[in-house]
Amino acid sequence: MSTTLEPLESLAPTLSVRQVLMLERVLAGEPEVVAGASQLDRAVRWVHVAEAADVGVMLSGGEMVLTTGVLLTGDESKQAEYIQSLHRAEAAAVVLGLGRAFPAPPDVMRRAAERCGLPMVVLHRPFPFAELTEEVQARLVRRKFAAVSMSEAVRTALTGLITAGAPLQRMLDEIAHHSGCPVVVTNLAHRVLATAGERSAVDDVLRDWERIARQAGGSEGDGWIRAELGGRGERWGQIMLCGYRGDAATGRLLADRAAEALVLHRMLGGTSAHTWEEQSAQSLLTDLVSGVVPARQLLPRARAAGLPVNRRTFVPLVVRDGDPAELDRVLRLLGLPGIVAELADGATAVLLSLARDQDATVLTANFAARLSRTVVAAADPRTAWDDVPAGMREARHVADAVASGALDLPAVVRLKDVHLRGLVRLLRDDPHVQSFAERELDGLLCGAGDDLLAVLRTYLATGRNKSRTAQLHHVSRPALYRRLEAIQGRLGVDLDDFEQAASVHIALLAHDAQQG
């Protein structure tokens, strides 16, 4: 689903004092800021023409007050009180037209405005206040209408994505497109769950995420705008616009619409913040395994996801047929920092991050011992982050080799434990290897030979141990002998001959690797 929303910077529902002063009609009056120059970004909610000395009681805040000061001449106390009343009423600014009452900016009013931090502007040339009032009011009305339209358009676009079944990332991409800045979704611990935006800009944000998150968590400023995620009295995260360049009110509106959509996405999709954490880990580990994204570019994401990365020992693991929730629970139980993510084909990746003085071998064995009915494939520990992708691929290769049927393996399997099986696994896609396997096993590669193929696999995997093979297949020794004779007859080989048995074993490993 695509949308064509306008850039949000132009849809701010208010004008600032600075923007009003830049209007062509105002410039014709030769405006000069004589006090409160640091407060020109105040929002102007309305423009009010008033000559009454007690105008403050008529204001509700955010007004730019236009006056000639005709009722203030000759009384400095009234002039000071006039400015103070505007300050108490939280007026946006005061504009004094020179000429009719004051030929020059009255010093008492200027000093009082400076003390209060109230922007005070004088117009050096006669100016019809009605024209300014008309133009500003018209602009404010148009902007407020545009802001409402923008809000509804954003809500409609995001709701459309949800009903179309779009994933979280697609929604964040839409938000980032219209905000023009990086978008980050975090949990309550400020760990990053998902990001969107220009890749280099996102990396800049994540590179120093811990410091940035602490600063942004206390207050909003410099375009950092956040909205809470949660419902039914429970908060579970927040979305942050990082470095939004438009009007703060518009950014706040966009963040609120985005938060509403994300909460709806969670409710309708039956997902949770924990699932988003899993998606974040899955994306990171998948990129590490694939090697498509350089490891150095993934480092900010790993750090922002809460994985310790400075002076650490990394242990890449892959578990076949493991439950990601159980693996994560075991990590927490043992107090091991790491991330867990399900990959493909029943494989789950685990990346441990250990202190340099911790024994990686012992801790990996402790982790494996806590798991039920699973074999953990491990790569050698890495002390450099750039070496982690190669380690993840090594662990994945070992796990694939184990999946093809090795017996009597240790709880933690390493590259040295898979021997010939690992080599054949690497060569499984070679046409020569495929042809060799077909040729050697031709007599058993049919429906009637499935049972005999299973017996052959066990017989060779046990080192041609007939007693063990008979036990594993729950048959008597004579029955096993008859099946072995049938296998040898179909294949035309003598399994007591080492070379012929080795050839059949390699062919069977290649066949199983191709099927896997």
Side-chain angles (χ1 to χ4, degrees):
M1 178 178 179
S2 61
T3 56
T4 56
L5 299 181
E6 299 177 42
L8 294 177
E9 289 84 347
S10 63
L11 299 177
T14 61
L15 289 169
S16 67
V17 174
R18 190 187 310 277
Q19 289 173 317
V20 172
L21 297 182
M22 295 301 295
L23 296 178
E24 185 175 350
R25 292 185 180 182
V26 179
L27 290 175
E30 298 182 7
E32 178 189 0
V33 179
V34 297
S38 63
Q39 302 295 318
L40 296 183
D41 290 322
R42 284 184 172 184
V44 176
R45 188 182 59 82
W46 208 244
V47 177
H48 191 70
V49 180
E51 298 293 353
D54 59 349
V55 65
V57 299
M58 308 175 190
L59 307 179
S60 57
E63 295 90 351
M64 174 179 277
V65 177
L66 311 180
T67 182
T68 62
V70 67
L71 299 181
L72 302 175
T73 56
D75 191 331
E76 292 187 349
S77 63
K78 280 188 177 181
Q79 296 170 19
E81 175 57 28
Y82 182 82
I83 296 296
Q84 291 167 6
S85 67
L86 294 180
H87 171 64
R88 288 193 296 269
E90 298 182 348
V94 59
V95 178
L96 175 65
L98 299 180
R100 183 175 179 185
F102 295 100
D107 197 47
V108 172
M109 294 179 67
R110 184 189 61 77
R111 289 198 306 269
E114 192 65 49
R115 285 195 302 270
C116 294
L118 176 70
M120 179 175 175
V121 181
V122 296
L123 300 175
H124 289 276
R125 299 188 62 180
F127 185 87
F129 284 168
E131 291 184 10
L132 174 58
T133 302
E134 180 182 5
E135 179 168 352
V136 172
Q137 314 297 45
R139 285 174 179 264
L140 288 175
V141 169
R142 288 198 301 269
R143 282 171 172 257
K144 289 179 180 179
F145 177 78
V148 172
S149 298
M150 176 275 295
S151 175
E152 289 306 310
V154 170
R155 178 186 282 120
T156 299
L158 294 178
T159 302
L161 290 175
I162 294 172
T163 55
L168 170 66
Q169 189 60 54
R170 177 67 185 88
M171 295 182 61
L172 294 182
D173 289 341
E174 184 80 8
I175 296 166
H177 171 70
H178 297 300
S179 66
C181 68
V183 175
V184 177
V185 174
T186 74
N187 62 14
L188 294 181
H190 299 298
R191 290 190 176 183
V192 174
L193 305 181
T195 63
E198 185 181 349
R199 190 72 263 164
S200 60
V202 171
D203 287 344
D204 287 341
V205 169
L206 297 185
R207 192 166 289 114
D208 196 19
W209 175 252
E210 290 186 9
R211 179 185 63 80
I212 292 174
R214 284 196 299 270
Q215 291 179 346
S219 60
E220 295 183 357
D222 298 327
W224 284 74
I225 302 173
R226 67 185 187 279
E228 301 295 336
L229 301 176
R232 298 177 181 175
E234 178 188 9
R235 290 172 54 244
W236 45 266
Q238 64 181 359
I239 180 171
M240 302 182 71
L241 307 185
C242 307
Y244 179 71
R245 298 177 182 176
D247 176 81
T250 304
R252 160 56 48 202
L253 196 59
L254 175 60
D256 288 343
R257 294 295 84 80
E260 290 174 3
L262 294 185
V263 172
L264 182 62
H265 180 274
R266 173 189 175 185
M267 292 173 59
L268 296 183
T271 61
S272 65
H274 181 62
T275 301
W276 286 0
E277 290 179 343
E278 292 174 350
Q279 292 177 5
S280 174
Q282 183 180 47
S283 173
L284 174 60
L285 290 181
T286 299
D287 286 345
L288 280 170
V289 172
S290 69
V292 173
V293 182
R296 184 57 50 183
Q297 293 184 19
L298 297 173
L299 187 58
R301 287 169 56 187
R303 182 184 291 111
L307 186 73
V309 295
N310 295 329
R311 296 187 57 78
R312 307 292 289 186
T313 296
F314 302 101
V315 184
L317 308 173
V318 172
V319 181
R320 274 286 175 187
D321 301 319
D323 179 6
E326 180 190 6
L327 300 182
D328 187 63
R329 180 185 60 79
V330 171
L331 284 184
R332 296 176 188 274
L333 181 66
L334 297 176
L336 297 178
I339 51 178
V340 179
E342 187 173 4
L343 299 179
D345 302 327
T348 301
V350 181
L351 180 60
L352 301 181
S353 175
L354 307 177
R356 292 284 175 87
D357 59 353
Q358 291 181 295
D359 191 322
T361 301
V362 171
L363 291 177
T364 302
N366 291 344
F367 174 71
R370 295 275 185 166
L371 303 179
S372 58
R373 300 182 302 280
T374 56
V375 175
V376 176
D380 291 334
R382 265 63 175 175
T383 56
W385 175 258
D386 287 345
D387 295 334
V388 170
M392 294 302 305
R393 290 191 290 273
E394 178 183 317
R396 180 65 183 270
H397 164 61
V398 173
D400 287 346
V402 171
S404 61
L407 298 176
D408 301 323
L409 290 170
V412 179
V413 186
R414 303 182 187 278
L415 191 60
K416 62 182 179 60
D417 299 315
V418 295
H419 306 294
L420 178 62
R421 187 180 302 276
L423 175 62
V424 172
R425 187 79 184 183
L426 289 175
L427 300 175
R428 63 179 177 173
D429 294 326
D430 187 295
H432 295 90
V433 174
Q434 294 172 356
S435 177
F436 169 76
E438 291 287 325
R439 184 171 63 252
E440 289 289 302
L441 301 175
D442 182 57
L444 297 179
L445 297 180
C446 61
D450 286 348
D451 181 59
L452 295 179
L453 197 64
V455 171
L456 175 63
R457 183 181 293 109
T458 304
Y459 180 63
L460 295 174
T462 59
R464 296 184 292 175
N465 186 320
K466 294 182 176 65
S467 297
R468 179 66 173 152
T469 302
Q471 181 183 17
L472 291 174
H473 283 271
H474 307 289
V475 297
S476 65
R477 290 282 294 267
L480 176 66
Y481 294 156
R482 288 193 296 271
R483 295 184 186 184
L484 290 176
E485 289 174 0
I487 291 170
Q488 293 179 107
R490 288 197 179 199
L491 297 182
V493 299
D494 179 5
L495 293 178
D496 290 329
D497 180 88
F498 177 78
E499 184 173 339
Q500 293 183 55
S503 180
V504 172
H505 192 189
I506 293 172
L508 186 58
L509 291 177
H511 169 75
D512 288 346
Q514 292 157 17
Q515 297 302 308

